[in-house]
Amino acid sequence: ALLCLAPPTAAALSRGNDVMVQIASRNEYDKTIAETEAAYMKILESSQTLLNVLKRETVNLVKKKQTSS
């Protein structure tokens, strides 16, 4: 026996389209979040590097000041 399916209604097509738009939006949000997290990690690494340099230079300045006194 053949099964005859009725063509989808306009409402069903619209709902399907809405779901696809939601999925695309979610994927775009996920991509933006991932890019933002990567940028944050780079900033964090740079901040740590800068802090380490400042600590090292502070120690060097203190030593230099102590030897010149």
Side-chain angles (χ1 to χ4, degrees):
L2 290 176
L3 179 61
C4 293
L5 296 177
T9 64
L13 290 174
S14 179
R15 281 193 303 274
N17 190 47
D18 290 347
V19 169
M20 290 172 57
V21 168
Q22 288 174 350
I23 291 170
S25 293
R26 177 62 189 257
N27 289 342
E28 189 62 30
Y29 285 134
D30 288 346
K31 179 182 172 190
T32 300
I33 290 169
E35 290 170 351
T36 303
E37 287 175 342
Y40 172 79
M41 292 307 295
K42 286 183 179 183
I43 291 169
L44 187 61
E45 290 171 12
S46 296
S47 298
Q48 285 294 328
T49 300
L50 179 58
L51 182 59
N52 290 335
V53 169
L54 286 171
K55 286 179 180 178
R56 185 180 67 233
E57 290 304 313
T58 300
V59 169
N60 290 341
L61 285 172
V62 169
K63 286 180 181 178
K64 187 175 183 178
K65 185 174 181 181
Q66 288 173 348
T67 58
S68 65
S69 297

